[in-house]
Amino acid sequence: MSSNGKGDDSIIKSTADEALSSKLSATSKGYYSDPYLSYFAVDAGSSNRSSKYNTVHPIIRKGSHARVCCMDRVIAALHSNQFENTVKNKEHVQVVVLGAGKDTSYFRYRSNTLTTQIKSSNDSANEQSVRNVSWYEVDHFSIINFKKSRERMIESDRMLQKRHPSADHVNILRHYLIEFDLRSSAVDLMKLLEERYEFKRELPTLFVMECVQMYLPELSSHSLLRTLADACRDSVIAIYDPILLHDPFGKVMQRNLARLCNEESSLLQNKTLKDCMTKLKCCGFQRILACDMKSAYGMVVTADQRLQSNRCEMLDEYEEWNLIMRHYAFIVAGTGGGISDVFCSARGESSPLGLEEGQCLTEEHLDTTLI
């Protein structure tokens, strides 16, 4: 695969389709609602679509729901009271989704259909200002081209727009779909964003990366993270990634992911939560909060969301569920400044992400001799 479109992008396509299938299966069972997912289904017109997605294992559905809830809560935190009271230039923010795949976060954010609801700016009890948002999605050329076609379908569906109009909490200034191979020069990416897509280094910026580093070479991953850390005066990155750990299940994961990874893969070089955190620290992120998804499920995923999950399906395989969730990481890291204070503080109920001290690791837990 390459940014000029001459390489084989089948692996990237397959990971995007697998994530889409898991989310479609979860929504078909009622875990959460996403009115935009079906537009991204390759076989959207297939009569046996529902039966296909019902073959996804319940653990995968629950895990996909947990992943969506965590990342949605990160995005919704841009409208939290903590953000309102802490961040300068809060009226205009940037969201950059790297390796966006067939994710629908932009549409759900715009229509306030994230799993974490954002209070209306017309609510008398809500004093938050409307956010002016620039939203960027970056991925391989084939994914972006596909996504552009689906966006046109969504925008032309008048019934959909009527049912889910743009919410009053946000003013989308621009939405860019950008073709770029993340294994290429990260410096070139930032230059491209600034020169062609109106990216502003001085604005508060949220970077989002879900299952991206697992198929990036370690050198490319380091370069990307260093560049992101230097890119903005006030920024934070939210990461969801598998971690192999040093156990038999991790070895099974490694075998299953062999088609995505080689010896240079970032996934193989950073097998623990602390490995991932140390790497972020080395790349310039000063504030870090991290936990495995088992812990995130009890903090970031709300009690109501867990209850909804259990209403949809009860699990018998709790040991397997806990084992799998311990092999995925949820990390937020900041470069310092107001937005880092909002996202990278473990304050329990007063944290916009629900993160609790003692239940997650911070930069203070790292061995400074390794940095």
Side-chain angles (χ1 to χ4, degrees), residues 235-237 277 280-281 284-289 331-347 362-364:
S235 67
V236 69
I237 186 169
M277 295 172 67
L280 285 163
K281 187 74 172 178
F285 289 92
Q286 302 302 313
R287 301 282 299 279
I288 307 170
L289 273 180
I331 305 172
V332 286
T335 55
I339 198 169
S340 296
D341 292 336
V342 173
F343 285 85
C344 302
S345 297
R347 297 183 297 253
T362 72
E363 69 278 359
E364 296 176 357

Side-chain angles (χ1 to χ4, degrees), residues 37-319:
L37 266 182
S38 61
Y39 290 85
F40 291 88
V42 175
D43 59 344
S46 173
S47 60
N48 65 350
R49 185 180 63 188
S50 60
S51 62
K52 171 186 175 182
Y53 297 129
N54 285 338
T55 62
V56 175
H57 195 283
I59 285 181
I60 302 301
R61 282 194 285 268
K62 282 186 177 288
S64 294
H65 174 241
R67 169 182 173 176
V68 170
C69 289
C70 286
M71 303 313 287
D72 279 5
R73 191 163 181 179
V74 168
I75 296 168
L78 294 172
H79 295 265
S80 65
N81 290 328
Q82 295 89 335
F83 191 96
E84 183 74 19
N85 296 330
T86 305
V87 179
K88 297 179 180 179
N89 300 321
K90 57 180 174 286
E91 290 80 13
H92 188 179
V93 298
Q94 299 173 138
V95 178
V96 183
V97 185
L98 299 163
K102 298 179 180 179
D103 177 70
T104 62
S105 296
Y106 164 73
F107 299 105
R108 292 185 296 112
Y109 171 68
R110 187 181 69 176
S111 61
N112 200 11
T113 52
L114 295 172
T115 54
T116 299
Q117 287 288 296
I118 298 169
K119 292 181 180 179
S120 168
S121 60
N122 292 328
D123 187 339
S124 59
N126 182 34
E127 300 179 355
Q128 297 169 19
S129 56
V130 175
R131 297 283 178 267
N132 295 305
V133 177
S134 299
W135 193 289
Y136 304 83
E137 300 189 51
V138 182
D139 211 321
H140 190 272
F141 83 99
S142 62
I143 297 294
I144 292 300
N145 285 342
F146 175 83
K147 201 158 195 176
K148 286 178 179 177
S149 70
R150 300 300 160 155
E151 181 172 23
R152 288 192 292 270
M153 291 173 60
I154 290 171
E155 300 295 0
S156 64
D157 189 332
R158 294 183 179 180
M159 289 300 297
L160 177 67
Q161 301 305 323
K162 187 175 181 179
R163 290 194 302 270
H164 304 286
S166 295
D168 59 14
H169 65 275
V170 61
N171 175 33
I172 300 293
L173 296 180
R174 55 189 69 97
H175 177 220
Y176 289 125
L177 297 171
I178 302 161
E179 303 171 12
F180 193 86
D181 187 337
L182 292 175
R183 298 173 307 175
S184 302
S185 168
V187 173
D188 288 348
L189 172 60
M190 296 312 303
K191 184 178 179 181
L192 178 68
L193 291 177
E194 286 186 277
E195 294 182 355
R196 293 184 55 187
Y197 299 104
E198 304 178 86
F199 183 84
K200 307 295 183 184
R201 289 179 179 264
E202 66 272 15
L203 294 178
T205 302
L206 168 64
F207 295 102
V208 178
M209 293 176 65
E210 296 184 59
C211 292
V212 172
Q213 296 187 94
M214 61 192 292
Y215 47 75
L216 285 182
E218 179 68 349
L219 289 177
S220 297
S221 175
H222 260 278
S223 174
L224 178 60
L225 291 174
R226 281 195 303 269
T227 302
L228 296 182
D230 292 337
C232 301
R233 299 172 187 171
D234 196 7
S235 67
V236 69
I237 186 169
I239 296 173
Y240 172 89
D241 258 333
I243 45 176
L244 298 177
L245 304 180
H246 298 284
D247 63 8
F249 185 79
K251 292 179 180 178
V252 173
M253 285 182 68
Q254 184 172 335
R255 288 197 297 270
N256 291 339
L257 294 171
R259 65 189 179 91
L260 297 174
C261 309
N262 55 39
E263 294 178 355
E264 299 177 354
S265 168
S266 176
L267 176 68
L268 302 183
Q269 305 303 317
N270 304 277
K271 292 189 174 183
T272 69
L273 201 55
K274 283 190 175 181
D275 289 343
C276 298
M277 295 172 67
T278 299
K279 176 179 171 180
L280 285 163
K281 187 74 172 178
C282 289
C283 290
F285 289 92
Q286 302 302 313
R287 301 282 299 279
I288 307 170
L289 273 180
C291 61
D292 60 32
M293 280 298 292
K294 181 179 183 297
S295 297
Y297 194 71
M299 295 185 291
V300 186
V301 180
T302 66
D304 286 344
Q305 289 167 342
R306 295 194 298 271
L307 178 60
Q308 177 63 22
S309 176
N310 289 334
R311 283 173 175 167
C312 292
E313 290 176 298
M314 294 297 293
L315 282 182
D316 294 325
E317 311 93 333
Y318 279 106
E319 284 190 25

Side-chain angles (χ1 to χ4, degrees), residues 21-36:
S21 294
S22 298
K23 291 175 181 177
L24 279 164
S25 183
T27 56
S28 72
K29 288 290 187 179
Y31 281 82
Y32 69 105
S33 176
D34 185 339
Y36 306 100

